[in-house]
Amino acid sequence: MTTGTPPPTARKRSRARTFVPLAIAAWAVLEIWLLTVVADVAGGFTVLLLLAAGVVLGAVVMKRAGRRAFRNLTETLQQMPGQPGAGGSSPAPQSTRGNGFLMLAGLLIMIPGMISDVAGLLLLVPPVRSALSRYAEHSLERRMRAAGPGSLSDAFQQARMHQPDGKVVQGEVIRERPARPDDTPRPPLTP
């Protein structure tokens, strides 16, 4: 018996799902090979010191980036209208770009390997970080504009509204409390 709907077809596997695991495997093999080459040239103890220094440097970079992001968030929240000490003027533009890339740089430096260390050190250079930030922002804007219905942005919009069909109903909820037998205020609870 047919229902009039076509049979489900298997979705085509995306290129990213095919090539990302292969790229990660090739990257891991290359990292291990480079570590063995450096160990043959400079010695195993030198490689161990390089790996330990990478972990320490990466942790320091990530900690600084986290503190910087938290400080920027705190300053922004304190300068919002209605907050004590906030002026009537708009907050001054701050350099808040690149905290995510700084954290990524720290993570790449912490990962054992020479290629990840070089990539992490490149992300520490401010012009490289700002160029990547601009590229990521433009790429995300372009993808969000081109996203059609049923895409990830549509799913975020529907999840935000808690309505699967996307309909928004404007209104106000008024709940009346039933009167208690004694409408006297209760004393605070103290231990």
Side-chain angles (χ1 to χ4, degrees):
M1 175 190 254
T2 62
T3 60
T5 59
T9 58
R11 289 178 50 175
K12 186 178 175 186
R13 188 177 174 119
S14 69
R15 289 184 188 169
R17 288 186 63 193
T18 303
F19 291 115
V20 168
L22 293 174
I24 290 173
W27 168 71
V29 168
L30 188 60
E31 290 278 21
I32 293 169
W33 177 74
L34 279 175
L35 284 174
T36 57
V37 168
V38 171
D40 285 343
V41 172
F45 187 69
T46 306
V47 170
L48 184 64
L49 286 177
L50 283 173
L51 294 176
V55 169
V56 171
L57 179 64
V60 167
V61 168
M62 286 181 73
K63 187 175 181 179
R64 281 190 68 203
R67 283 186 178 172
R68 182 173 139 187
F70 187 73
R71 184 181 63 242
N72 289 339
L73 176 66
T74 304
E75 289 173 0
T76 302
L77 289 177
Q78 287 175 351
Q79 293 176 355
M80 290 179 65
Q83 295 294 325
S89 63
S90 63
Q94 299 175 358
S95 173
T96 58
R97 298 176 82 140
N99 285 332
F101 283 117
L102 275 175
M103 288 186 185
L104 179 63
L107 180 67
L108 286 172
I109 293 171
M110 286 178 75
I111 294 174
M114 299 296 162
I115 297 172
S116 61
D117 288 347
V118 169
L121 290 172
L122 278 175
L123 281 175
L124 291 179
V125 177
V128 173
R129 198 170 52 242
S130 65
L132 279 174
S133 179
R134 281 192 309 271
Y135 173 76
E137 186 176 334
H138 291 304
S139 175
L140 183 63
E141 285 176 4
R142 186 179 64 245
R143 288 179 186 217
M144 292 299 282
R145 277 192 307 259
S151 64
L152 186 60
S153 65
D154 192 36
F156 280 131
Q157 182 71 14
Q158 287 184 2
R160 185 178 65 91
M161 291 187 285
H162 301 289
Q163 294 280 336
D165 58 357
K167 294 180 182 173
V168 177
V169 177
Q170 298 293 332
E172 183 176 330
V173 177
I174 300 174
R175 295 187 183 161
E176 295 183 19
R177 292 188 340 191
R180 291 188 313 218
D182 58 341
D183 251 355
T184 58
R186 293 183 179 178
L189 297 174
T190 55

